[in-house]
Amino acid sequence: DAMVIQNPRYQVTQFGKPVTLSCSQTLNHNVMYWYQQKSSQAPKLLFHYYDKDFNNEADTPDNFQSRRPNTSFCFLDIRSPGLGDAAMYLCATSNGPRDRSYEQYFGPGTRLTVT
Amino acid sequence: GQNIDQPTEMTATEGAIVQINCTYQTSGFNGLFWYQQHAGEAPTFLSYNVLDGLEEKGRFSSFLSRSKGYSYLLLKELQMKDSASYLCACMDSNYQLIWGAGTKLIIKP
């Protein structure tokens, strides 16, 4: 089945220790998104890629970086995690306006704990 | 500014009908989505409305009024598995989703 996969599902890291979260998709979608979601809050868009074109939200901290080496994979790097970065990180894909399909397909998420 | 408003929490009885409202103000409008999110899981797509009116899909229906900046999600014949958060999200002029904080729906037997 075509899908969005995130690894790991649960990640524990220490305060200040860099961590990388990964996302892969078999949908061949051109747009990939990274969201941060804290409990009982709306998902907050961190970045998105339209093909190789990187788009950073204005309020995304510099501590967060992203890479998209190819269509299928996207990574979220947190350079120096703080306690406030503990959250669920959601990866999503869409075909964007290319075929007027705007639905975003989400991976299962990675729950990050910072100790 | 851009804003999505929906109730924080609602309670309903198994077998009943519930309507979850959403009002929005966005810069440009390219449609409105409803997503379901169970605790600790990712959101899953329920519906997309870009034209005024009611879209029915099984037990779930979604309504949009663009002139009023208003939408609702209607859930019929409620089942215990419908206990979840329901997220309203609008697509703005840049085709980005502006998300509401979600409505937590509690179903009681």
Side-chain angles (χ1 to χ4, degrees):
Chain A
D1 284 343
M3 57 196 327
V4 182
I5 301 162
Q6 289 188 247
N7 285 305
R9 295 290 309 277
Y10 300 90
Q11 176 74 58
V12 181
T13 191
Q14 292 178 337
F15 183 95
K17 186 175 181 181
V19 66
T20 295
L21 310 182
S22 73
C23 176
S24 63
Q25 55 131 339
T26 60
L27 297 161
N28 202 32
H29 283 169
N30 58 330
V31 190
M32 293 188 78
Y33 307 83
W34 278 107
Y35 289 92
Q36 178 194 65
Q37 187 179 27
K38 298 186 177 180
S39 182
S40 301
Q41 295 184 20
K44 178 183 183 299
L45 183 64
L46 297 174
F47 342 82
H48 75 278
Y49 282 90
Y50 194 109
D51 293 321
K52 294 182 179 180
D53 185 21
F54 175 71
N55 297 273
N56 193 30
E57 293 302 298
D59 57 354
T60 298
D62 293 340
N63 195 27
F64 291 83
Q65 304 284 319
S66 183
R67 297 169 281 138
R68 188 180 186 186
N70 54 53
T71 301
S72 301
F73 285 87
C74 197
F75 300 96
L76 172 62
D77 300 306
I78 309 176
R79 292 192 296 187
S80 181
L83 298 178
D85 297 328
M88 175 77 89
Y89 290 88
L90 296 164
C91 174
T93 72
S94 83
N95 232 2
R98 188 162 64 181
D99 62 1
R100 300 195 67 79
S101 169
Y102 303 109
E103 178 187 341
Q104 292 188 16
Y105 296 76
F106 284 84
T110 295
R111 180 163 296 283
L112 179 68
T113 301
V114 182
T115 60
Chain B
Q2 305 199 99
N3 195 45
I4 309 286
D5 281 319
Q6 52 182 132
T8 304
E9 187 174 296
M10 298 181 71
T11 302
T13 304
E14 189 177 16
I17 299 172
V18 71
Q19 177 175 311
I20 303 174
N21 296 324
C22 171
T23 57
Y24 64 88
Q25 288 180 306
T26 56
S27 55
F29 181 78
N30 280 302
L32 185 143
F33 291 80
W34 284 96
Y35 279 81
Q36 180 191 60
Q37 187 175 28
H38 285 99
E41 298 182 11
T44 56
F45 171 82
L46 291 177
S47 66
Y48 172 61
N49 293 66
V50 66
L51 299 175
D52 288 350
L54 186 69
E55 296 271 347
E56 297 186 76
K57 193 186 292 184
R59 294 189 299 115
F60 293 7
S61 303
S62 56
F63 172 84
L64 176 67
S65 169
R66 288 174 297 173
S67 62
K68 295 181 179 178
Y70 167 71
S71 173
Y72 67 74
L73 180 69
L74 190 72
L75 293 77
K76 302 177 185 176
E77 301 169 17
L78 286 170
Q79 302 174 9
M80 297 304 292
K81 68 178 181 179
D82 298 330
S83 293
S85 285
Y86 291 85
L87 298 159
C88 173
C90 287
M91 184 165 288
D92 68 11
S93 56
N94 294 318
Y95 296 98
Q96 298 307 313
L97 285 181
I98 310 301
W99 293 84
T103 298
K104 183 178 180 181
L105 179 62
I106 300 167
I107 311 295
K108 294 185 175 179

